[in-house]
């Protein structure tokens, strides 16, 4: 069975793909932003305003090149928050630094508490440092940050820990923190519509991949381990369910957000047919990305294992029983994984990284 997809809109990437990262979409309750990072700037484009023919770009100067960390943008586009090797920095579109939280250096073996990027800008090793990540809450008031101790340049009492912290988005005050007990090579946040909740997937190279769920009650930050070999992918629109994939990418896993318990799984092997061009000897496995269209419907892909055959495949999954409804049929070939675009939509990035396509099922308005 095939399920037809309808193209909602196509948005041109604002930066040259030769000198920038691929664009991605951030979405919240009432806004959808296309974000792209280059070495000198980050662009945030309001997708819905763009589709309506209105000017919608905001550009933020970058405090360091893209290979030195990651970035996110606040829902109102009043700040871009950069997670770097030595600090988390909030920057306004004017280039003004709103605040900065210094932390331990992410480069293994470096014990220096850097006061600026210039201290290691020309070092041949620091561009290959491990990394944390940041996310802004749905209401724009909190910044969730995975970083290394010590914070604020004060080494007292925090050894060489990795911390998950909640910061005030206005002034960078550390409101709460918890030791993640991880040794990260990288991490990624999974936002929740409730600003007091957030997911964190921590990649530890060959050591593991713990997935944590955090809650901020206004006074204390707590973190629950959802799994030790898991990558969080998405949160359902109601906020009741979490979608994840095991590190081997064998199974899509549906978890209850309240306590992290596993509800249902869907194995790729034996469920998803081999690619039509395959000899049948290659393993079929899920992508590291997926999207909830509603609480009962998931779009998941097998584009990573399909890549050698050229055509990416995406699948509609019934979340109620974690069963495969069918393959998604597009009006033209797509590349890469399917990612959440909010409001019942998902998006794909063109192979040349010059455009982003938003999709919905053809039988929906």
């Amino acid at each position: 069975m095939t399920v037809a997809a309808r193209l909602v809109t196509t948005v041109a990437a604002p930066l040259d793909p030769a000198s920038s990262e691929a664009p991605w979409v951030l979405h919240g309750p009432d806004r959808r932003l296309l974000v792209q990072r280059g070495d000198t700037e980050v662009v945030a484009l309001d997708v819905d305003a763009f589709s309506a023919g209105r000017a919608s770009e905001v550009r933020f100067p970058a405090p360091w090149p893209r290979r030195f960390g990651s970035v996110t943008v606040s829902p109102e586009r009043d700040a871009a928050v950069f997670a770097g090797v030595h600090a988390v920095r909030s920057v306004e579109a004017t280039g003004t630094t709103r605040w900065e939280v210094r932390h331990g250096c992410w480069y293994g073996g470096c014990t220096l508490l850097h006061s600026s990027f210039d201290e290691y800008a020309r070092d041949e090793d620091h561009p290959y440092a491990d990394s944390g990540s940041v996310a802004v809450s749905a209401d724009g008031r909190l910044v969730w940050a995975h970083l290394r101790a010590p914070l604020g340049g004060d080494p007292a009492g925090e050894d060489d820990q990795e911390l998950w912290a909640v910061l005030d988005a206005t002034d960078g005050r550390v409101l709460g923190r918890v030791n993640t007990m991880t040794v990260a090579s990288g991490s990624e946040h999974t936002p929740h519509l409730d600003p007091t909740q957030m997911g964190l997937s921590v990649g530890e190279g060959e050591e593991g991949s713990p997935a944590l769920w955090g809650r901020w009650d206004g006074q204390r930050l707590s973190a629950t381990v959802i799994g030790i070999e898991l990558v969080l992918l998405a949160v359902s629109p109601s906020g009741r369910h979490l979608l994840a994939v095991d590190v081997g990418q064998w199974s899509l896993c549906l978890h209850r957000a309240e306590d992290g318990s596993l509800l249902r799984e869907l194995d790729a092997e034996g469920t998803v047919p081999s690619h039509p061009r395959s000899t049948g000897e290659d393993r079929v496995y899920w992508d590291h990305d997926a999207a909830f269209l509603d609480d009962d419907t998931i779009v998941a892909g097998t584009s990573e294992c399909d890549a050698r055959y050229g055509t990416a495949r995406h699948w509609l999954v019934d979340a109620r029983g974690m069963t495969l409804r069918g393959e998604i049929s597009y009006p033209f070939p797509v590349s890469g994984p399917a990612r959440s675009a909010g409001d019942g939509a998902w998006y794909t990035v063109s192979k040349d990284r010059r455009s982003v396509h938003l999709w919905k099922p053809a039988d929906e308005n």
Side-chain angles (χ1 to χ4, degrees), residues 1-332:
M1 175 183 174
T2 59
V3 181
R6 172 177 61 86
L7 182 65
V8 177
T9 189
T10 295
V11 183
L15 298 178
D16 184 348
S19 58
S20 63
E21 297 177 355
W24 69 95
V25 174
L26 295 173
H27 62 87
D30 56 4
R31 181 158 295 182
R32 196 156 34 199
L33 303 179
L34 183 148
V35 180
Q36 190 175 24
R37 180 179 185 173
D39 280 331
T40 61
E41 64 180 342
V42 173
V43 183
L45 184 153
D46 187 313
V47 173
D48 297 315
F50 174 88
S51 300
R54 301 192 302 272
S56 62
E57 279 189 6
V58 177
R59 294 180 177 244
F60 302 88
W64 42 72
R66 56 193 166 104
R67 65 183 179 276
F68 287 95
S70 58
V71 66
T72 192
V73 176
S74 65
E76 297 300 323
R77 296 186 296 171
D78 56 334
V81 184
F82 295 83
V85 174
H86 80 285
V88 172
R89 183 182 295 184
S90 177
V91 178
E92 298 177 358
T94 59
T96 300
T97 296
R98 179 175 288 184
W99 50 261
E100 178 177 277
V101 175
R102 289 168 53 201
H103 55 72
C105 181
W106 274 108
Y107 178 63
C110 181
T111 58
L112 298 177
L113 297 176
H114 303 290
S115 60
S116 73
F117 167 69
D118 292 339
E119 293 181 12
Y120 55 87
R122 293 174 178 81
D123 182 84
E124 63 182 15
D125 295 321
H126 277 70
Y128 304 100
D130 297 327
S131 62
S133 57
V134 288
V136 180
S137 62
D139 62 0
R141 297 181 179 181
L142 302 174
V143 171
W144 294 70
H146 176 220
L147 32 70
R148 290 190 68 176
L151 300 187
D154 181 7
E158 281 188 321
D159 298 328
D160 188 21
Q161 302 173 2
E162 289 183 9
L163 304 174
W164 199 9
V166 173
L167 314 176
D168 188 306
T170 302
D171 56 19
R173 283 181 301 121
V174 180
L175 304 176
R177 68 181 82 175
V178 64
N179 187 343
T180 61
M181 307 296 289
T182 55
V183 183
S185 57
S187 69
E188 186 171 352
H189 283 79
T190 301
H192 193 285
L193 290 179
D194 178 352
T196 68
Q197 297 188 56
M198 183 70 69
L200 179 68
S201 299
V202 180
E204 296 183 320
E206 296 180 358
E207 302 302 318
S209 179
L212 290 74
W213 195 255
R215 287 181 171 82
W216 168 244
D217 66 4
Q219 309 247 329
R220 177 177 173 270
L221 174 62
S222 60
T224 302
V225 177
I226 303 296
I228 59 173
E229 297 286 343
L230 211 61
V231 179
L232 293 170
L233 304 180
V235 180
S236 67
S238 70
R240 293 195 298 266
H241 296 127
L242 313 176
L243 186 66
V245 65
D246 65 282
V247 292
Q249 298 169 260
W250 296 94
S251 303
L252 285 178
C253 308
L254 189 72
H255 291 255
R256 188 172 17 236
E258 182 180 5
D259 57 9
S261 60
L262 177 63
L263 299 175
R264 292 177 287 279
E265 295 178 281
L266 179 61
D267 295 339
E269 199 72 30
T271 302
V272 177
S274 298
H275 195 281
R277 299 179 186 173
S278 168
T279 61
E281 299 175 356
D282 300 316
R283 180 169 76 91
V284 178
Y285 53 88
W286 297 111
D287 288 340
H288 277 119
D289 296 275
F292 275 102
L293 303 189
D294 54 47
D295 267 35
D296 298 330
T297 312
I298 294 165
V299 173
T302 52
S303 67
E304 291 178 40
C305 65
D306 293 339
R308 70 185 66 186
Y309 306 111
T311 306
R313 297 180 300 164
H314 298 154
W315 309 88
L316 208 64
V317 175
D318 188 331
R320 291 168 296 185
M322 290 302 281
T323 55
L324 203 67
R325 290 188 189 173
E327 183 177 357
I328 295 174
S329 172
Y330 292 97
F332 53 82

